[in-house]
Amino acid sequence: MQFPHTYFEDEIREGFYITGAMKRAWAAQLEVLEEIDKVCKKHNIRWFADCGTLLGAVRHGGYIPWDDDMDICMLRPDYIKFNQVAEQELPKSFVVLNMHKEELYLEYMTRVTNGHRLNFDSNYLEKYHDCPYATGIDIFVLDYIAEDEEEEKERKALATLIMAAGDEIKEDNSNIGEYEDVLKQIEELCLVEFDYTQCIRQQLFQAGEKVFSLYASKGGSHVALMPYWVYFDNHLYPAEYFDTTVMVPFETTKIPAPAAYDGVLQIEYGDYMKIVKSGGVHDYPFFTGQEERLKALVSPYPFEYHFSKDDLDLSHRQKKEKPYEAAIQLAGLMEEAHNMLLKVVAGRQYTEAVQLLSVCQESAVQIGNLLEERLGEGTEPVKLLEQYCELLYQIGELTGQAVEQGVGIDVDDLAGVLTEIADGFKECVERCVPKKRVLFLTYKASNWKAFDSVWRREKEEVGTEVTVLPIPYYLRDAKGAKKEAYYEGDQYPDYLGVQDYQTYDIEKVHPDIIFIQSPYDSYNYTTSVAPQYYSSVIKNYTDKLIYIPWFKVDVPSEENQKARKVMDYYCRMPGVVHADMTIVQSGAMRQAYIDYLTEFAGEDTRGIWETKIRGDGSPLDDAERYEREQEREEYLRNMPSNWKNMICRADGSRKKIILYGTNVATLMQHGGATIDKIRRSLKIFEESKEDVVLLWRPHPLFGQAVEKACPERIEEYRSIVRNYQEQTWGIYDNTQDSELAIHVCDAYYGDSDSLAHKCEVLKKPVMIENVDI
């Protein structure tokens, strides 16, 4: 599978920080899924996205940002067939785990992984996108329910008995004596005979699976995930929900989902479009255990920063004279020295005059060298100082001649020349020598918006020289070694006038302030800037190092513990420690940083973080608002002319645009009632056509789904579509790309799906329709 290199960089999705390592694991899972899919296609086995994977596909167009695994499901007959052929058909390195093939594997599902353990083989890492961890897919099974209610109660009672015993009996059989009567009862009811020399618990799981699959060959009107159905009376679905498959976007590919996914997700999650980020972190990310084993083998571990109080030491910070201050001081000395020079020349004290000329020249050369080093060769102030030194030389020659000839020097002429050059130098300094020099060190053009408003503020300050310096960055392999490098300097806005990193010497320039966006130094999993740009280095070449995160994330809380967990990847970083100041998005996030860093570095450091961390707000707030407005205007300018004709009034104003989404899942769940609802909704919007333009975007497969779900109404549906298109009061969008519709609309109305969620992400009002109203 192909992924753009940017896919493997850290990313923020919906306020959650996703590391490059997690993205690599996702890509590895998709590679495993692709192999499973090949087997399923070859053997005509149907499978569906399930649980969090189905929710992620529908709501997010990929993984739920705070999820780390992938779940699929199969109906029992397909599940049996898959397990019969999987080991022979999948790559030899794959492992198929289920209760029949793996000793003491006690799960009512199958897990397919690309190996048993860590793997740093070069071919493996190339195939699995530098993810060295064993990665896999969980395959759940849907079983048919007995049509007779009493029969199903009996089956559930037996399954409950077996599962309860399986949960209690130890794997070494050491407590089976306590369950002798229960085991005999199960043997009689299931017509099985346990082998008491082997693991009874595993045999109980196998017996439970047989009870689950009693109706696999008979079928039925409902299916269930049996462990949940038996224990909790949930995860029960109409079997027809799984009659038809639709392909839904998932990351960079598409995966099959039950066409009635809306009904499935409502059963599993209720209001599934509502974002819930609660839950523990004991198993996030899934490869934590494998990574801990890796840390035990590799020391030092290249991706984990350890705090040292030496990192707070600024004794190595270079103290450099400020060009502006030095030049202004020289201008003042010039005036004072010139007054003294004129006095001694007037009194024909030429020896003292020569000494003063020498002092002036030495000072001018010293400041000239400083300006040349810090501002570059050939600048106007340096040229003026060169002219000044030449003038001093000429005055010295004139003084020598006066001594030899015993004559005086015209003091008025000398005063005019000295005043002219001194005033000219002072004016030039005020005009050409920056009072403050600010450097913005950036490496990702897409992250510039987190700097932009700060850059504008600094740019407006009189006497401040502002430089934007894009620097290269490179990807890292699984061991942390450097891979291909990337440079995005040509992707920044032209108004920034970016500087070439190859000609800019940070140590030599010694900016007053350096702003950074990368706090990671060498500790990010997948990317790094060059070592000369690490915070540990550049803090020595500035008076103040300020870190502004390129992102905004959810503030950790008791309900959102994963948000606290992922602070490991952006807060426990050297840039935060080395920076004189870190500016975060809010006061609450400031406190989260302080508490985290105190726990990380020790209670005695709390005062340090309270001084360093500021909660002044993220520049991203204004930037994102402006970006959304500009992006929408761009889409509006470039939309088809027939859309413009309906949206734009004669006076140049625009009608409100309501995106109307109808999806296959609602149709599969509600059948003909969905057609009735569409007809009613169109009538209501037509009545408001003077103020509102409806942008109807049915799912691309909606027409085919109508033909399958309620064929008796297909002509009626086609007539509705045809009339809507002919009346030209609304827009009918059947294009492949939904981005135009999402960006131009003012609000969303319709079925609950990824269209609705994307509108929510863009801060647009969303109303989910009720088919029954």
Side-chain angles (χ1 to χ4, degrees):
M1 300 180 74
Q2 296 297 315
F3 297 85
H5 75 269
T6 52
Y7 184 80
F8 300 108
E9 298 169 8
D10 292 9
E11 181 184 359
I12 310 302
R13 293 189 188 179
E14 301 183 42
F16 191 78
Y17 193 101
I18 307 166
T19 67
M22 189 73 257
K23 304 285 273 307
R24 284 174 172 173
W26 284 357
Q29 288 174 349
L30 288 169
E31 293 286 358
V32 175
L33 184 66
E34 185 175 56
E35 297 296 337
I36 291 172
D37 186 54
K38 289 177 184 176
V39 174
C40 290
K41 285 177 177 174
K42 180 177 178 180
H43 292 274
N44 197 28
I45 296 170
R46 297 169 70 236
W47 64 274
F48 309 88
D50 191 29
C51 300
T53 301
L54 178 60
L55 177 59
V58 172
R59 193 173 68 188
H60 304 273
Y63 284 93
I64 299 173
W66 41 95
D67 201 2
D68 61 347
D69 62 357
M70 177 167 270
D71 304 317
I72 67 174
C73 67
M74 299 174 181
L75 293 167
R76 178 66 72 175
D78 288 312
Y79 181 81
I80 292 171
K81 188 189 298 185
F82 177 81
N83 277 293
Q84 288 171 342
V85 302
E87 284 190 334
Q88 292 75 37
E89 296 285 0
L90 290 168
K92 298 302 180 186
S93 60
F94 275 39
V95 178
V96 179
L97 299 168
N98 60 47
M99 66 179 72
H100 301 288
K101 299 180 183 296
E102 190 76 11
E103 186 177 356
L104 299 182
Y105 181 82
L106 303 176
E107 299 280 357
Y108 291 108
M109 65 177 185
T110 292
R111 179 173 291 128
V112 176
T113 67
N114 57 4
H116 268 301
R117 58 187 68 84
L118 287 161
N119 192 336
F120 282 88
D121 175 76
S122 59
N123 292 328
Y124 180 91
L125 292 176
E126 182 178 2
K127 168 71 174 175
Y128 297 108
H129 309 283
D130 272 310
C131 177
Y133 308 115
T135 304
I137 308 293
D138 290 339
I139 306 175
F140 293 89
V141 56
L142 293 164
D143 282 295
Y144 288 99
I145 302 302
E147 291 296 296
D148 181 80
E149 188 175 336
E150 289 302 316
E151 191 175 342
E152 182 59 26
K153 283 183 180 179
E154 292 177 5
R155 193 259 290 266
K156 283 183 72 174
L158 176 55
T160 302
L161 181 67
I162 295 171
M163 291 172 67
D167 289 341
E168 296 297 329
I169 291 177
K170 296 179 179 179
E171 292 173 3
D172 63 0
N173 291 352
S174 59
N175 65 338
I176 59 174
E178 302 172 28
Y179 297 92
E180 184 177 345
D181 292 341
V182 173
L183 291 173
K184 286 182 178 178
Q185 183 183 5
I186 293 171
E187 285 180 313
E188 292 174 2
L189 292 171
C190 294
L191 302 177
V192 297
E193 189 173 326
F194 295 132
D195 182 350
Y196 288 85
T197 66
Q198 301 297 316
C199 176
I200 292 298
R201 190 178 182 193
Q202 184 154 11
Q203 293 176 69
L204 284 167
F205 269 76
Q206 292 168 353
E209 185 179 59
K210 288 181 180 178
V211 173
F212 292 169
S213 59
L214 278 175
Y215 305 101
S217 59
K218 296 180 181 179
S221 60
H222 285 79
V223 293
L225 288 171
M226 288 303 294
Y228 297 94
W229 171 238
V230 170
Y231 268 166
F232 308 111
D233 284 325
N234 57 28
H235 286 73
L236 176 69
Y237 318 91
E240 65 181 5
Y241 281 9
F242 299 89
D243 286 348
T244 308
T245 301
V246 293
M247 300 301 292
V248 291
F250 195 89
E251 300 297 324
T252 60
T253 186
K254 290 186 176 182
I255 59 175
Y261 58 75
D262 180 65
V264 173
L265 290 172
Q266 286 189 40
I267 290 170
E268 292 182 0
Y269 300 102
D271 181 7
Y272 64 86
M273 295 304 290
K274 181 180 179 181
I275 300 294
V276 178
K277 297 181 180 179
S278 59
V281 297
H282 64 280
D283 56 353
Y284 182 89
F286 74 85
F287 51 77
T288 297
Q290 296 180 70
E291 186 176 30
E292 290 302 319
R293 289 192 288 276
L294 182 57
K295 289 178 185 179
L297 296 171
V298 179
S299 182
Y301 187 58
F303 306 113
E304 186 171 65
Y305 168 64
H306 293 278
F307 172 75
S308 168
K309 289 190 177 178
D310 291 340
D311 291 339
L312 299 171
D313 181 14
L314 295 176
S315 61
H316 298 293
R317 175 170 278 175
Q318 297 179 4
K319 301 296 182 183
K320 287 204 173 185
E321 197 170 8
K322 309 283 185 198
Y324 175 80
E325 294 174 1
I328 288 296
Q329 186 178 14
L330 175 61
L333 289 173
M334 276 183 178
E335 185 178 352
E336 185 179 338
H338 293 172
N339 290 333
M340 293 176 63
L341 179 63
L342 292 172
K343 283 183 180 181
V344 297
V345 168
R348 296 192 178 187
Q349 297 171 290
Y350 294 130
T351 301
E352 287 83 351
V354 170
Q355 291 174 349
L356 281 169
L357 289 169
S358 177
V359 170
C360 286
Q361 190 162 35
E362 287 176 6
S363 297
V365 169
Q366 181 182 354
I367 300 305
N369 289 336
L370 172 65
L371 294 177
E372 191 169 70
E373 177 190 359
R374 305 289 291 281
L375 302 181
E377 298 178 0
T379 60
E380 188 176 345
V382 172
K383 287 180 179 179
L384 277 176
L385 287 177
E386 290 172 348
Q387 294 173 18
Y388 178 59
C389 288
E390 178 61 27
L391 176 62
L392 293 176
Y393 173 76
Q394 293 174 3
I395 295 172
E397 290 290 303
L398 183 62
T399 303
Q401 292 173 10
V403 171
E404 290 176 5
Q405 298 173 13
V407 297
I409 298 174
D410 189 329
V411 174
D412 291 338
D413 287 347
L414 182 59
V417 173
L418 290 172
T419 299
E420 182 181 354
I421 197 163
D423 289 347
F425 177 71
K426 186 173 183 179
E427 183 276 331
C428 180
V429 168
E430 292 291 352
R431 180 168 44 83
C432 300
V433 180
K435 296 177 181 178
K436 183 173 72 172
R437 308 184 83 183
V438 176
L439 175 65
F440 286 86
L441 204 58
T442 173
Y443 66 106
K444 288 290 295 178
S446 59
N447 294 342
W448 173 254
K449 58 188 176 183
F451 267 170
D452 195 71
S453 63
V454 182
W455 174 85
R456 292 177 188 277
R457 186 184 67 231
E458 294 290 347
K459 194 74 173 173
E460 291 171 358
E461 192 172 327
V462 176
T464 298
E465 177 191 272
V466 182
T467 302
V468 177
L469 190 68
I471 57 176
Y473 73 99
Y474 55 83
L475 299 184
R476 309 176 75 192
D477 66 17
K479 298 177 183 178
K482 180 178 178 179
K483 294 176 68 177
E484 57 270 26
Y486 296 92
Y487 176 69
E488 299 184 356
D490 59 346
Q491 299 178 31
Y492 287 78
D494 292 338
Y495 63 78
L496 295 177
V498 300
Q499 180 83 21
D500 182 357
Y501 73 94
Q502 297 177 90
T503 61
Y504 189 94
D505 189 331
I506 296 178
E507 181 179 4
K508 191 174 181 179
V509 175
H510 197 92
D512 298 276
I513 301 174
I514 298 178
F515 288 96
I516 61 171
Q517 288 184 316
S518 171
Y520 314 105
D521 288 5
S522 64
Y523 298 100
N524 187 277
Y525 282 105
T526 57
T527 61
S528 177
V529 297
Q532 64 264 34
Y533 299 114
Y534 286 170
S535 63
S536 60
V537 175
I538 61 173
K539 73 174 183 178
N540 298 315
Y541 306 140
T542 182
D543 295 341
K544 181 179 283 188
L545 182 64
I546 300 178
Y547 164 51
I548 299 179
W550 54 269
F551 54 84
K552 287 193 312 177
V553 291
D554 295 331
V555 178
S557 64
E558 286 298 319
E559 296 74 30
N560 189 1
Q561 294 179 36
K562 282 185 181 177
R564 170 62 172 73
K565 168 63 180 174
V566 295
M567 290 185 79
D568 292 351
Y569 308 121
Y570 66 81
C571 184
R572 189 176 67 186
M573 287 293 160
V576 181
V577 175
H578 293 303
D580 297 279
M581 182 189 300
T582 293
I583 301 175
V584 298
Q585 65 201 48
S586 66
M589 183 57 82
R590 173 181 180 267
Q591 193 60 52
Y593 265 71
I594 291 169
D595 292 343
Y596 181 97
L597 290 166
T598 300
E599 182 180 334
F600 168 55
E603 186 61 40
D604 59 331
T605 65
R606 179 176 291 275
I608 295 171
W609 313 125
E610 289 176 341
T611 301
K612 281 176 174 277
I613 311 299
R614 291 177 54 172
D616 296 348
S618 173
L620 282 168
D621 292 330
D622 292 335
E624 288 176 349
R625 190 180 306 110
Y626 176 78
E627 189 178 71
R628 284 196 300 270
E629 292 171 358
Q630 293 301 305
E631 193 171 36
R632 182 173 187 240
E633 288 301 317
E634 181 69 18
Y635 274 104
L636 285 167
R637 280 193 297 272
N638 296 317
M639 65 184 172
S641 58
N642 62 316
W643 289 27
K644 290 181 181 178
N645 293 336
M646 281 185 261
I647 293 168
C648 299
R649 298 187 178 96
D651 62 1
S653 63
R654 289 195 292 253
K655 299 177 183 180
K656 294 294 183 183
I657 306 167
I658 306 299
L659 175 57
Y660 179 38
T662 52
N663 66 37
V664 171
T666 302
L667 175 69
M668 299 304 294
Q669 183 179 359
H670 297 283
T674 306
I675 310 296
D676 297 332
K677 180 63 177 180
I678 290 172
R679 187 184 292 279
R680 294 196 301 273
S681 296
L682 293 180
K683 186 175 186 303
I684 290 170
F685 281 109
E686 184 179 9
E687 292 170 355
S688 304
K689 64 183 179 182
E690 296 304 317
D691 300 307
V692 171
V693 169
L694 188 68
L695 202 172
W696 182 16
R697 183 178 173 83
H699 187 280
L701 298 177
F702 197 86
Q704 297 178 32
V706 172
E707 198 164 6
K708 182 174 180 61
C710 39
E712 73 282 359
R713 302 193 66 175
I714 183 61
E715 289 305 321
E716 178 187 356
Y717 173 72
R718 288 171 180 164
S719 176
I720 291 172
V721 172
R722 188 164 53 249
N723 291 337
Y724 176 75
Q725 292 176 296
E726 290 173 353
Q727 290 171 6
T728 68
W729 59 266
I731 299 167
Y732 184 76
D733 182 16
N734 59 354
T735 60
Q736 290 296 312
D737 188 2
S738 63
E739 289 302 303
L740 176 60
I742 292 167
H743 282 86
V744 302
C745 75
D746 294 283
Y748 175 89
Y749 173 78
D751 296 334
S752 184
D753 61 9
S754 60
L755 279 180
H757 183 64
K758 288 177 180 178
C759 287
E760 281 187 331
V761 170
L762 291 174
K763 313 295 184 185
K764 300 190 178 191
V766 170
M767 178 180 288
I768 304 303
E769 74 173 356
N770 186 328
V771 173
D772 299 323
I773 296 177

